[in-house]
Amino acid sequence: MAEDITLYGTLWCSDCKRAKKFFAEQRVPYTFVDVERDAEGLRFVEQVNGGKHIIPTIVFGDGSTLVEPSNAELAAKLGLQTTGTRRFYDLIVVGSGPAGLTAALYAAREGIETLVIERAGVGGQAGITERLDNFPGFPEGIAGSEFAERLRQQAERFGVEILSAKEAVGVGVEGSYRSVRTADGEQYRAWAVLLALGSTYRRLGIPGEEDFIGAGVHFCATCDGPFYRGKEVLVIGGGNSAGEEGIFLTKFCPKVTIATRGPDLSASRVVVEKVRSNPRIEVLTGVVPAAFKGSGRLEAVVLMPAGGGEPIELRPAGVFAFIGLSPNTEVVEGFVELDERGFIVTDGVLQTSVPGVFAAGDARGGSTKQAASAAGEGAAAALAIRRYVEPLAGGMPVVRSATTE
Ligand SMILES: Cc1cc2nc3c(=O)[nH]c(=O)nc-3n(C[C@H](O)[C@H](O)[C@H](O)COP(=O)(O)OP(=O)(O)OC[C@H]3O[C@@H](n4cnc5c(N)ncnc54)[C@H](O)[C@@H]3O)c2cc1C
């Protein structure tokens, strides 16, 4: 890995936001220099680019520089594997959260040649969680990033190939094979596919949100909270995520306001008690976010009282929105059956409406949205997949009897 990364850019430049998002997803630390506020940084950018202001300009620990790099160039620079060593595997797992990686390591351990395709960083939501306190076997809890790294190592020990920064954009059926197409135009085939797509933070959908994402509006306290050291922030939401992330933010911020539309927080009793007893947190109930305002960077948040009345304007340094999760199932819309909320419908052995295509974890209808249950579903799916694949491949280990191209 290229350590000590410095990203020279501005708060409004979209390629800078993309590069920052990429580093955050890969959990790679970097220093951001806003060249609109840092004259020396601006001079450096001009010097690197022959007098021109081209951003982002990114300098790596080995002294090398990338100017306006694509995500593929960034992935290559970080030494990430983005292409499979073959085009045919026994099993392709889409998604590398606890469900996907558990299924992969179970399958690979039984001789099923497994490819994992991950569009962001390895570990899924668990990887960006500050701390997992309730995963069995870790009595002191475990940092999400460490948990993800352990899962990755365990899967790789059994020979799983993991591609990251690689998005699956289509899943299909080709006779006995199932195929997965990726955004960069590659296609991989296997006897079976496991959809371990997880879910994503829901957006607020209010004016200004898109403009200020990464410039005052955030969805991941672990990734962006440290940028607000010593500053006041607003958390939007009333559930467990809002409560836990609000508590986490008090590590950096002297004051955290949690704004929720309901008459009280809807988080679990344990989380509510922790929030209420934290002197750095204030809870504002019965308010609905209406707009983000600012120029270039977030300056104010407009909240409307849920019962009507005058708008309230707050001026936090940053806003963190935690208002629920949507399943990442766009890639299989119209291919497998989804329920009315977009979650994947499965049968008793976690098979979807398409034979040979299985689903596990948070993206599955009826799942419990917990890391341990996602891992459990991954294990159960791997066993069902083994039973499905074995007769097709004529016994284990299976990939050696399959077509390679
Ligand atoms: C803030 C927060 C705190 C949490 N705290 C806890 C906790 O304390 N205890 C607990 O048990 N659970 C906790 N959870 C929930 C837990 O993290 C999830 O239940 C678990 O990660 C779900 O696992 P999963 O494998 O189903 O999906 P995910 O972890 O969401 O992983 C899915 C992966 O699929 C990838 N993906 C999606 N679409 C594509 C595509 N088209 N192509 C390629 N890759 C794709 C995603 O990038 C993602 O990495 C927390 C979650 C959050 C957000």
Side-chain angles (χ1 to χ4, degrees), residues 25 27 93-102 116-136 142 147 151 163-171 180-183 195-201 219-222 240-242 244-245 322 324-332 360-364 367-375 377-378:
E25 283 174 350
R27 295 191 293 282
V93 176
V94 186
S96 74
L101 286 182
T102 304
V116 174
I117 297 178
E118 168 57 58
R119 68 179 173 190
V122 173
Q125 292 170 73
I128 57 158
T129 300
E130 198 236 342
R131 202 156 190 85
L132 279 175
D133 245 354
N134 54 0
F135 200 92
I142 181 167
F147 177 74
L151 267 181
L163 310 183
S164 49
K166 190 154 187 107
E167 179 160 21
V169 291
V171 182
V180 176
R181 213 160 22 85
T182 60
L195 304 170
L197 302 163
S199 43
T200 302
Y201 300 110
F219 299 88
C220 173
T222 314
N240 278 337
S241 293
E244 284 171 10
E245 300 292 2
F322 303 110
L325 296 167
S326 304
N328 301 325
T329 48
E330 325 78 53
V331 59
V332 288
D362 277 16
R364 200 183 65 78
S367 58
T368 55
K369 317 291 181 280
Q370 284 292 293
S373 38
E377 288 191 14

Side-chain angles (χ1 to χ4, degrees), residues 148-172:
E149 179 55 22
R150 282 172 177 243
L151 267 181
R152 185 186 65 75
Q153 285 176 10
Q154 196 172 3
E156 286 181 345
R157 177 157 75 88
F158 295 118
V160 175
E161 254 186 68
I162 304 174
L163 310 183
S164 49
K166 190 154 187 107
E167 179 160 21
V169 291
V171 182

Side-chain angles (χ1 to χ4, degrees), residues 179-197:
S179 63
V180 176
R181 213 160 22 85
T182 60
D184 54 0
E186 290 182 351
Q187 173 138 316
Y188 295 87
R189 295 188 180 86
W191 300 114
V193 166
L194 173 68
L195 304 170
L197 302 163

Side-chain angles (χ1 to χ4, degrees), residues 45-190:
V45 167
E46 288 172 346
Q47 182 197 324
V48 169
N49 297 298
K52 293 185 186 153
H53 295 183
I54 309 179
I55 48 173
T57 292
I58 305 174
V59 182
F60 295 85
D62 58 7
S64 62
T65 304
L66 286 177
V67 178
E68 280 189 309
S70 64
N71 279 3
E73 287 173 300
L74 288 173
K77 185 70 202 170
L78 296 181
L80 303 175
Q81 186 183 347
T82 54
T83 298
T85 54
R86 299 197 303 270
R87 286 292 177 268
F88 192 97
Y89 294 79
D90 293 327
L91 168 65
I92 298 171
V93 176
V94 186
S96 74
L101 286 182
T102 304
L105 76 89
Y106 260 71
R109 190 166 174 271
E110 297 209 13
I112 298 174
E113 302 270 0
T114 303
L115 176 72
V116 174
I117 297 178
E118 168 57 58
R119 68 179 173 190
V122 173
Q125 292 170 73
I128 57 158
T129 300
E130 198 236 342
R131 202 156 190 85
L132 279 175
D133 245 354
N134 54 0
F135 200 92
F138 297 97
E140 309 299 330
I142 181 167
S145 53
E146 188 190 343
F147 177 74
E149 179 55 22
R150 282 172 177 243
L151 267 181
R152 185 186 65 75
Q153 285 176 10
Q154 196 172 3
E156 286 181 345
R157 177 157 75 88
F158 295 118
V160 175
E161 254 186 68
I162 304 174
L163 310 183
S164 49
K166 190 154 187 107
E167 179 160 21
V169 291
V171 182
V173 173
E174 295 176 24
S176 308
Y177 306 144
R178 304 292 170 261
S179 63
V180 176
R181 213 160 22 85
T182 60
D184 54 0
E186 290 182 351
Q187 173 138 316
Y188 295 87
R189 295 188 180 86

